[in-house]
């Protein structure tokens, strides 16, 4: 029986884009919150993208290969996994039909607690427990191809738990009525079979359907979501999901002063805040949350409360966040910062103490800004 994956955390990543030459030196992440701080263009967003790309690559067979060299550390049940891979361009002499077909795995290695689980170098493949293995696909990770092997089951199940939730979504989009109705039917059938089903089986669904399920089947969860929204927007009397029959889509709706507003009529800041809150309360345990520029699109009155809610409500989640906003930066302990710098194509990172930031949390942000001004990085 496969060991159940619990306490899953990303520990570190190192990344190199072999096409552009951009190289990110190893970034270590905290188990709860890591705030990536730095000037625009230094590589903060690329760090988030490198993490998300690698997780998808390990479990998704449809990810388009890119010329990357990556190392990733993952902790699962106190087992340390280290995954290294390099994707390279296929020999120019071969017939190329599509752009995404130009790349293949040149190198890949997986280590667990110091033991090599598998390794491939060009045509040579070694897998623990096997004298010989079939030649694997060159355009797919061995983690994905050997996902059912007993030595990989824990890792694969752990990576699935660490799905990244990119909150910067197209909040103006809805769910086509036909798709939404199909999902509703499946949910209804699920509860007919088991009235006590845990919400976690729905945690990967879109926000609108999760809100719909919470309101109708999990009243305590819905009250938590509603109360959090109400704390920020006292005028909100109800939150729901309604069908826009003209557009044939289901959309998030709110009731304000007795009037119902569909998603298209809700301000972008309020709508994004609702999405944050729904995701926060409905994400599965041990989820990885990637947020690029947390403050974007949020009202000034929302930032403080939402940041506090995000950092205190779910101790099991792992957040990797970027921000330029002083309220966000000051709200997160400077010991949770990774300060990102860039020299040409090399991206480096430091802790606050290593960077020369003082002991006082109150002065930390100002010390950081003053240093950048002194170094001529900001005018």
């Amino acid at each position: 029986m496969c060991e159940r994956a619990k306490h899953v955390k990303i520990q570190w990543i190192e990344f190199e884009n072999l096409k552009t030459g951009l190289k990110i030196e190893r970034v270590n992440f905290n188990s709860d919150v890591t705030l990536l701080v730095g000037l625009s263009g230094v590589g903060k967003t690329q760090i988030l993208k490198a993490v998300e790309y690698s997780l998808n690559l390990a479990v998704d067979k449809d990810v388009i290969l890119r010329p990357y060299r990556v190392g990733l550390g993952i902790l699962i049940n106190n087992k340390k996994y280290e995954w290294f891979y390099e994707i390279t361009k296929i020999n120019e002499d071969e017939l190329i039909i599509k752009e995404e077909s130009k790349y293949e795995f040149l190198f890949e290695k997986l280590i667990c607690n110091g033991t090599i689980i598998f390794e491939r170098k060009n045509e040579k493949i070694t897998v623990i427990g096997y004298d010989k293995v079939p030649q694997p696909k060159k355009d797919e990770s061995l983690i994905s191809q050997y996902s059912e092997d007993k030595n990989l089951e824990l890792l694969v199940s752990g990576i699935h738990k660490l799905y990244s939730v990119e909150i910067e979504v197209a909040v103006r989009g809805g769910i086509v009525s036909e798709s939404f109705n199909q999902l509703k039917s499946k949910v209804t059938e699920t509860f007919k079979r088991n009235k006590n089903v845990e919400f976690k089986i729905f945690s990967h669904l879109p926000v609108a359907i999760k809100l719909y399920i919470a309101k109708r089947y999990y009243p305590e969860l819905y009250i938590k979501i509603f109360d959090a929204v109400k704390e920020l927007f006292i005028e909100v009397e109800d939150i729901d999901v309604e069908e826009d029959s003209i557009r044939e889509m289901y959309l998030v709706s709110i009731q304000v002063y007795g009037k119902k507003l569909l998603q298209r009529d809700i301000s972008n800041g309020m709508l994004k805040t609702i999405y944050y809150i729904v995701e926060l309360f409905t994400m599965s345990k041990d989820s990885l949350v990637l947020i690029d520029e947390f403050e974007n699109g949020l009202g000034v009155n929302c930032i403080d409360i939402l940041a506090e809610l995000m950092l205190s409500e779910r101790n099991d989640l792992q957040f990797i966040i970027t921000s330029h906003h002083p309220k966000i930066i000051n709200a997160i302990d400077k010991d949770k910062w990774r300060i990102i710098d860039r020299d040409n194509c090399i991206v480096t990172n430091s802790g606050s103490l290593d960077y020369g930031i003082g002991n006082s949390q109150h002065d930390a942000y100002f010390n950081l800004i003053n240093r950048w001004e002194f170094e001529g990085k900001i005018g």
Side-chain angles (χ1 to χ4, degrees):
M1 186 174 180
C2 176
E3 181 182 358
R4 184 182 175 188
K6 297 182 291 186
H7 311 300
V8 187
K9 304 294 178 184
I10 295 291
Q11 291 192 299
W12 55 266
I13 194 168
E14 53 194 27
F15 171 88
E16 184 175 0
N17 186 321
L18 301 174
K19 185 175 182 179
T20 66
L22 178 69
K23 183 176 182 179
I24 298 172
E25 296 186 351
R26 182 173 294 197
V27 183
N28 293 307
F29 301 118
N30 302 309
S31 61
D32 49 3
V33 180
T34 303
L35 175 66
L36 305 179
V37 184
L39 298 172
S40 296
V42 295
K44 303 185 300 298
T45 299
Q46 183 58 63
I47 293 170
L48 297 186
K49 288 182 176 179
V51 172
E52 185 172 26
Y53 179 87
S54 296
L55 292 176
N56 289 337
L57 186 66
V59 296
D60 185 352
K61 299 179 181 180
D62 297 323
V63 175
I64 296 175
L65 298 188
R66 303 296 185 197
Y68 296 159
R69 182 184 292 129
V70 180
L72 186 70
I74 305 175
L75 182 67
I76 307 176
N77 298 5
N78 294 318
K79 293 182 179 179
K80 292 185 177 181
Y81 290 90
E82 297 174 289
W83 179 38
F84 302 91
Y85 67 86
E86 181 177 339
I87 299 169
T88 189
K89 201 168 187 179
I90 293 174
N91 190 319
E92 293 287 355
D93 293 336
E94 296 188 25
L95 179 63
I96 304 300
I97 299 175
K98 297 180 180 179
E99 173 66 24
E100 55 264 33
S101 302
K102 289 185 178 181
Y103 300 99
E104 64 185 15
F105 280 86
L106 176 68
F107 171 81
E108 189 175 11
K109 178 191 286 188
L110 178 67
I111 302 170
C112 178
N113 288 344
T115 299
I116 297 176
I117 304 300
F118 66 66
E119 183 175 14
R120 68 166 150 189
K121 295 180 180 178
N122 295 319
E123 302 295 325
K124 185 178 180 181
I125 311 292
T126 56
V127 180
I128 189 171
Y130 295 90
D131 294 328
K132 294 182 179 180
V133 294
Q135 192 65 27
K137 297 178 182 177
K138 295 181 179 180
D139 60 352
E140 190 177 314
S141 167
L142 293 180
I143 295 177
S144 176
Q145 294 184 66
Y146 293 119
S147 60
E148 296 182 2
D149 185 273
K150 64 179 182 179
N151 292 301
L152 292 176
E153 285 179 338
L154 180 63
L155 174 64
V156 172
S157 64
I159 291 176
H160 276 293
K161 286 172 68 67
L162 265 177
Y163 74 100
S164 60
V165 178
E166 178 49 74
I167 303 288
E168 186 56 49
V169 291
V171 294
R172 286 298 166 194
I175 302 178
V176 175
S177 295
E178 183 180 356
S179 298
F180 195 93
N181 288 326
Q182 289 175 354
L183 286 170
K184 284 201 299 183
S185 296
K186 291 180 180 179
V187 170
T188 301
E189 290 300 319
T190 298
F191 280 97
K192 283 182 179 178
R193 293 192 300 269
N194 181 7
K195 292 182 179 180
N196 298 315
V197 65
E198 293 185 47
F199 188 90
K200 65 182 181 180
I201 71 168
F202 306 118
S203 62
H204 288 64
L205 293 174
V207 164
I209 189 68
K210 289 197 290 186
L211 181 58
Y212 173 90
I213 295 169
K215 184 165 188 178
R216 286 152 183 83
Y217 297 99
Y218 300 88
E220 292 183 2
L221 175 60
Y222 173 77
I223 289 171
K224 285 185 178 181
I225 293 170
F226 177 76
D227 286 348
V229 173
K230 185 80 171 176
E231 184 176 358
L232 288 165
F233 306 105
I234 194 169
E235 69 275 18
V236 174
E237 300 163 347
D238 186 45
I239 313 169
D240 207 345
V241 180
E242 301 281 344
E243 184 178 19
D244 183 341
S245 57
I246 297 175
R247 297 174 61 192
E248 297 184 342
M249 299 188 79
Y250 276 83
L251 305 169
V252 171
S253 69
I254 61 172
Q255 186 167 303
V256 180
Y257 305 125
K259 182 180 180 181
K260 187 157 289 187
L261 301 177
L262 287 178
Q263 193 164 318
R264 62 175 182 271
D265 301 314
I266 304 172
S267 72
N268 193 66
M270 179 185 282
L271 190 58
K272 184 174 180 181
T273 301
I274 292 172
Y275 268 65
Y276 267 113
I277 291 171
V278 174
E279 286 284 27
L280 178 64
F281 283 103
T282 60
M283 280 185 283
S284 62
K285 190 175 176 61
D286 289 322
S287 295
L288 171 66
V289 186
L290 306 177
I291 307 178
D292 193 18
E293 297 192 10
F294 174 85
E295 64 275 9
N296 276 1
L298 296 177
V300 175
N301 63 317
C302 298
I303 292 176
D304 282 344
I305 297 175
L306 196 54
E308 182 181 352
L309 179 68
M310 181 184 69
L311 299 175
S312 63
E313 184 63 34
R314 293 286 301 272
N315 294 327
D316 61 295
L317 301 179
Q318 182 181 24
F319 292 90
I320 304 177
I321 307 168
T322 77
S323 177
H324 294 103
H325 200 287
K327 282 191 173 183
I328 303 298
I329 297 173
N330 283 330
I332 297 176
D333 192 299
K334 62 182 177 59
D335 293 336
K336 305 293 184 182
W337 297 3
R338 296 308 300 175
I339 301 170
I340 311 301
D341 256 330
R342 180 172 176 173
D343 184 7
N344 293 319
C345 289
I346 307 299
V347 177
T348 59
N349 66 97
S350 309
S352 58
L353 290 178
D354 295 332
Y355 204 74
I357 304 301
N359 293 323
S360 169
Q361 177 70 24
H362 175 72
D363 296 332
Y365 176 76
F366 299 102
N367 290 339
L368 181 63
I369 296 299
N370 289 336
R371 171 165 173 168
W372 285 342
E373 285 183 335
F374 178 77
E375 294 175 348
K377 295 179 179 179
I378 55 178

